[in-house]
Amino acid sequence: MTRPLRVSVVAPSGVLGGAELWLLSLLDATDRLTVDAVLLADGPLREEFARRGVPCTVRPTGRSGVSIAGSAAWLTRRLRADRPDVVLANGVKAASVAAPAAWLAGVRCVWAKHDHSHDGPLMTLLALLSDGCVATGADLIPASRHRDAVLVPFPAPGRAALPRDTARQELLRRGVRLGQDELLLLTVARLVGYKGVDDAVTALAQPGTSRWRLAVVGPDDPAEPGERERLTRLAASLGVADRVDFTGWLRDAWQFIPAADAVAVLTKPAGSGPSQESFGAVALEAMLAGVPVIATAPGPVSERVAPRGADPAGVTVEPARADQVAGALRRLEDPDIRSAMGAVGRRSADAHPGAEQSAALLVRTLAETARLTGTGLAGTAAVSVVTTVKNEAGVIDQLLELLVPQLTLDGDEIIVVDGGSTDGTILRVESWASRDPRVRLLSAPGTGISAGRNTGIRAARNALIACTDAGCYPAPDWLARLRAAAGEAEGASLLTGVYRVSGGGPVANALALVGYPVPEEARHPGPWTRVYCRFLGREFDATLPTGRSVAFTRAAWQDAGGFPEHLRTAEDVLFGRAVVAAGHRAALVTSAEVGWEQRPTLRQTAAMYFHYGEGSGWSANPLLLGRDTARAVAYTAAVAAGMRGPTARRVTAATFLAYLSLPLTRAVRERRWTALPAVPLVAVVRDLSKAAGAAHGLVGRLRSARAYGAAPGTGGPS
């Protein structure tokens, strides 16, 4: 198992509502996280974190923009100093502080959306600033406006609730004045107006509800400190004070639900609260306990309780309609109706995920957002490593020396596909295979990289395939990291590793700064790096893998049609796009790293980039070809602008300097002083070589299409 993922949790308050209980239950169900917490208001949640050994800091934060901005600035400094792997903002207010702070501090941020409060423009801003989003209800995914939102529902309790008689005795001990023949209506919620407890109180005063008693389980909320007193006065004014009891907050309140004859979830539009429960954990817990639910409709809870065309697990009412709540109570006086609805609820809720399942989804989302997929896991799947070679006698021994010790599970193997070597590569691989049967040599003369990979994958014995190239230097844990990433819950089918470029001399160093992404920037991108990479590239993208460091499932390879065999370059990124287009998910694994040496001369480097561009043009992929076309247009425009006068030249120079800002910043940060002067030259050579190659490849594609009457085929698995 690799180290746990370091997570900074930001919570909006110290109360123990549904959002907080969701968080605590998931933290309790995983050992893959090391957590510290920031609370924006004090309360019992701080004590719960302390019980779990979670370091907790309280930063009181009001609702005003000034207060939120002040806390965001404070949190930015904290995150820059602590450098966690990822931030989890548990709610809208927490995200309003944490998302901009994490963005400025260079830390990835996941936002948890629990309800429909503040739906609207604020969601667009939070979706823009947050790298990931988890939603506790399916209806919250579109409401979050985040393109990568993931459903992580409130989990079912991990153990059985108390028996009915025991639960009733426990409530009696906690102050509920429950007579033997009385029916018990239970609400479990924070005491805030929009929870609709006042409608339950009012219903007790309606005709035909005299057998019912109300137990209100839940803590006071600092946002509405007078709510308990208001409800007490309401009960007194209606003459039902002797039938309404307040227990305060009870740990593991779900255990007491079997004491009830009905549970009420009566959320209604009021103030700044949500207009409906997005998930309704209490309703789920009641259904699991076989207790009917009275729920306001429409909304996700009522749809779960009384789905259209199916038997109901309770009764739905309109929001703020105490008379309808009373009608539901009168109906539920019938024990047969209560028993039938309870049975329906238990059957429909039995398949709901538990804490371990929901926690695994949360951790997967956090790890993928942090670009550290698989962190905290030890993978169990055997892997087939496929590499293609041709005249690689000088480097194949080093590659196998690095890979063979990483074959740690039964069934692991390395498949070397030779495309027709004449320099002794075959003899060297055969020597390895004679000593270790896990190394296999396939001879496929005349095959290129794509066809060679497809050949090796067809011969592979495992469902999980990894690829790297001769001339790369996998880190000692490279395969273990990819294996662990494959073990994520409902994990990605395409796992894109990373590479670190090396090379000696000013030109090689300048090329490393200009032309390639940096693993650390993928994990901790600063604000300018985010903006620069979004518009100008230079970042690792899970959907654009390279053959140097990648893993995928056989099913993904088959659905993508294999590696495109008509391309000499860009075949790996086109394969990645095809995998995603086929409906598979991709994830970045920045811990799966290989080293890679560049071409030793600028001339060879220009030739390499020309071939890269050629692959883009031949593929006609809009993303790849668009980037190279944009480079050609930009340089043409720069030359034209430079001929128009001094002002235009100054603007062009400033624009070019901005274009070079990221590689120049990297040079300063890494103290590669001798590379600084070479950065502009290398950037120009790289860009023009790729643009020229793209044009050449596109022309070749068009000529081929005219000659054969169609675009070139892709080859693929058979």
Side-chain angles (χ1 to χ4, degrees), residues 373-547:
T373 309
T375 296
L377 280 176
T380 59
V383 184
S384 296
V385 182
V386 174
T387 187
T388 60
V389 295
K390 185 176 181 181
N391 295 331
E392 302 287 1
V395 294
I396 188 61
D397 283 322
Q398 185 172 9
L399 177 63
L400 293 176
E401 285 172 359
L402 293 169
L403 284 178
V404 168
Q406 301 190 39
L407 305 181
T408 57
L409 296 185
D410 290 342
D412 284 348
E413 63 179 352
I414 300 171
I415 301 172
V416 182
V417 183
D418 184 81
S421 295
T422 58
D423 68 342
T425 300
I426 293 176
L427 292 176
R428 293 179 182 274
V429 177
E430 287 177 339
S431 175
W432 277 92
S434 67
R435 301 192 305 270
D436 192 329
R438 298 174 299 177
V439 179
R440 300 165 57 197
L441 173 66
L442 300 181
S443 182
T447 57
I449 293 176
S450 288
R453 288 196 187 118
N454 288 335
T455 297
I457 293 164
R458 290 188 191 100
R461 300 186 179 108
N462 297 310
L464 181 61
I465 315 294
C467 290
T468 190
D469 291 335
C472 292
Y473 310 105
D477 61 350
W478 174 75
L479 192 58
R481 297 286 189 166
L482 291 173
R483 196 197 309 273
E488 290 281 9
E490 301 178 22
S493 301
L494 175 64
L495 303 167
T496 297
V498 299
Y499 55 91
R500 190 179 299 276
V501 178
S502 60
V507 172
N509 282 326
L511 185 58
L513 298 167
V514 168
Y516 304 101
V518 177
E520 288 78 13
E521 290 177 355
R523 293 188 286 267
H524 293 288
W528 178 240
T529 302
R530 286 178 183 263
V531 174
Y532 188 103
C533 291
R534 173 164 294 185
F535 293 103
L536 297 174
R538 314 294 200 282
E539 67 177 344
F540 289 106
D541 185 331
T543 68
L544 301 173
T546 73

Side-chain angles (χ1 to χ4, degrees), residues 82-453:
D82 293 349
R83 302 293 276 181
D85 295 321
V86 66
V87 173
L88 173 60
N90 196 38
V92 174
K93 183 178 178 181
S96 299
V97 171
W103 198 86
L104 292 170
V107 179
R108 303 281 182 179
C109 180
V110 174
W111 161 47
K113 183 169 174 61
H114 295 279
D115 56 43
H116 289 279
S117 60
H118 303 287
D119 280 359
L122 180 58
M123 298 300 102
T124 301
L125 178 60
L126 294 182
L128 181 66
L129 292 175
S130 301
D131 299 284
C133 178
V134 294
T136 55
D139 60 305
L140 295 174
I141 291 179
S144 73
R145 303 190 181 183
H146 199 289
R147 64 178 184 176
D148 296 322
V150 176
L151 176 64
V152 181
F154 198 105
R159 59 188 191 276
L162 295 172
R164 176 177 171 84
D165 290 344
T166 304
R168 289 172 80 91
Q169 288 298 319
E170 289 296 322
L171 286 182
L172 285 170
R173 290 180 53 239
R174 288 161 172 80
V176 177
R177 298 163 291 176
L178 183 58
Q180 185 172 0
D181 296 327
E182 285 185 310
L183 300 173
L184 180 63
L185 176 64
L186 188 67
T187 66
V188 183
R190 290 178 293 117
L191 297 186
V192 289
Y194 72 83
K195 291 294 185 178
V197 178
D198 52 351
D199 296 323
V201 173
T202 303
L204 295 189
Q206 301 287 320
T209 62
S210 59
R211 288 188 60 199
W212 286 91
R213 169 173 295 279
L214 174 64
V216 181
V217 177
D220 296 319
D221 192 309
E224 297 183 34
E227 179 65 6
R228 183 193 295 260
E229 183 180 349
R230 184 182 77 87
L231 293 171
T232 301
R233 289 198 307 269
L234 176 64
S237 67
L238 294 173
V240 295
D242 61 329
R243 290 194 284 136
V244 178
D245 299 307
F246 297 87
T247 69
W249 179 68
L250 300 179
R251 187 185 303 279
D252 294 333
W254 58 270
Q255 292 192 82
F256 305 105
I257 287 177
D261 298 286
V263 168
V265 182
L266 302 176
T267 307
K268 59 185 177 181
S272 61
S275 60
Q276 58 185 238
E277 293 284 349
S278 61
F279 177 73
V282 174
L284 169 70
E285 292 159 352
M287 292 167 69
L288 285 168
V291 177
V293 180
I294 304 173
T296 49
V301 176
S302 63
E303 291 167 6
R304 186 183 301 117
V305 169
R308 186 173 301 177
D311 292 333
V315 183
T316 61
V317 298
E318 296 176 33
R321 289 293 301 271
D323 59 325
Q324 293 188 12
V325 177
L329 293 177
R330 288 191 290 269
R331 183 180 176 190
L332 291 174
E333 283 195 11
D334 187 328
D336 292 335
I337 292 177
R338 295 200 304 273
S339 177
M341 288 183 173
V344 169
R346 188 179 286 110
R347 286 196 302 272
S348 63
D350 272 347
H352 190 81
E356 290 186 0
Q357 292 173 275
S358 292
L361 288 175
L362 174 64
V363 177
R364 186 205 77 191
T365 304
L366 293 171
E368 288 187 0
T369 302
R371 310 303 195 253
L372 291 168
T373 309
T375 296
L377 280 176
T380 59
V383 184
S384 296
V385 182
V386 174
T387 187
T388 60
V389 295
K390 185 176 181 181
N391 295 331
E392 302 287 1
V395 294
I396 188 61
D397 283 322
Q398 185 172 9
L399 177 63
L400 293 176
E401 285 172 359
L402 293 169
L403 284 178
V404 168
Q406 301 190 39
L407 305 181
T408 57
L409 296 185
D410 290 342
D412 284 348
E413 63 179 352
I414 300 171
I415 301 172
V416 182
V417 183
D418 184 81
S421 295
T422 58
D423 68 342
T425 300
I426 293 176
L427 292 176
R428 293 179 182 274
V429 177
E430 287 177 339
S431 175
W432 277 92
S434 67
R435 301 192 305 270
D436 192 329
R438 298 174 299 177
V439 179
R440 300 165 57 197
L441 173 66
L442 300 181
S443 182
T447 57
I449 293 176
S450 288
R453 288 196 187 118

